[in-house]
Amino acid sequence: MAALFETSGDGGAAVALDERQISILRSLAVQLLELIGPGAGPADGDADDPLAALFAEGPSEPPSDPALARLFPDAYGEPGQERDEEARRLSAEFRRFTETELRTAKRENLLLMVRGLDAAAGDASESGGGAVLTLSRDDARRWLGALNDLRLAIGSRLGLSDDADSERLFDIPPDDPERPLVIAYSWLGHLQETLIETLMP
């Protein structure tokens, strides 16, 4: 699965994708959108009060789904280690006032990706092959965030916690049911790496 980003003339990035790659990437983005969930609207009776949305409180407990917990980690304490009461209190307080906004930002990045892929799918259908997706510099940065979130979520599903864990993916047998996820994880990594390279000065 090739498809690597290159620098476009306006300081952004471009990538050539075939119809299958567009479909896979779109499917992954939509699945993550569904996992993150819909945005929370203003509280009842506060629809006309913009400050109500600004100061709306989010959850105080980390998500129970491991993929979401990876996307929305606790702010205090070491991951995977027992936290003391103060770290739990600070994490809950931080989460309450930041997670809703963070979820919104992640959703918006993924929606941007889906819209771009939909446009590319239309172009690919017309050409009977693939399409070149061109991103502005700002959109490329948002795609980078979406690609990172996709990799974190898939890595969580594969039980990966760091780069050392990912080394074992090279030994996965062809008939392993997790092989499609491993291939997607690896491909997203290549996309992410080449996109970072295009954005470097």
Side-chain angles (χ1 to χ4, degrees):
M1 237 188 233
L4 305 176
F5 278 98
E6 297 179 0
T7 304
S8 63
D10 61 354
V15 61
L17 299 168
D18 62 32
E19 289 182 286
R20 181 167 161 265
Q21 292 165 334
I22 293 169
S23 176
I24 291 170
L25 198 49
R26 187 187 190 282
S27 175
L28 292 172
V30 168
Q31 289 177 57
L32 187 52
L33 272 168
E34 291 172 352
L35 183 63
I36 291 174
D44 291 341
D46 292 334
D48 297 325
D49 184 0
L51 289 177
L54 183 63
F55 294 107
E57 292 187 11
S60 59
E61 293 297 320
S64 57
D65 186 290
L68 287 178
R70 188 80 185 271
L71 292 177
F72 306 102
D74 279 324
Y76 297 90
E78 291 298 317
Q81 293 184 0
E82 186 66 30
R83 294 171 301 137
D84 61 27
E85 186 62 35
E86 180 66 3
R88 282 195 293 273
R89 185 188 69 75
L90 290 171
S91 291
E93 195 75 7
F94 185 82
R95 183 180 298 279
R96 188 162 41 246
F97 293 107
T98 60
E99 186 172 312
T100 299
E101 186 177 348
L102 187 56
R103 281 181 183 256
T104 298
K106 290 182 183 298
R107 267 193 303 272
E108 288 175 354
N109 289 344
L110 289 163
L111 285 169
L112 176 77
M113 176 181 277
V114 169
R115 291 185 193 111
L117 291 168
D118 285 345
D123 294 344
S125 179
E126 286 180 15
S127 69
V132 175
L133 178 65
T134 303
L135 304 172
S136 69
R137 191 167 184 82
D138 182 58
D139 286 352
R141 290 178 191 277
R142 293 175 62 190
W143 262 66
L144 193 56
L147 287 170
N148 187 60
D149 287 343
L150 286 169
R151 285 195 83 227
L152 286 174
I154 292 173
S156 173
R157 294 291 186 243
L158 291 170
L160 306 179
S161 60
D162 55 33
D163 290 338
D165 281 349
S166 63
E167 292 297 319
R168 71 175 174 81
L169 298 181
F170 294 110
D171 301 324
I172 195 164
D175 59 345
D176 192 299
E178 288 189 332
R179 188 168 176 80
L181 274 183
V182 170
I183 292 170
Y185 181 83
S186 177
W187 179 51
L188 290 169
H190 288 299
L191 280 174
Q192 187 178 16
E193 185 178 341
T194 58
L195 184 51
I196 289 170
E197 289 171 359
T198 67
L199 295 175
M200 289 176 68

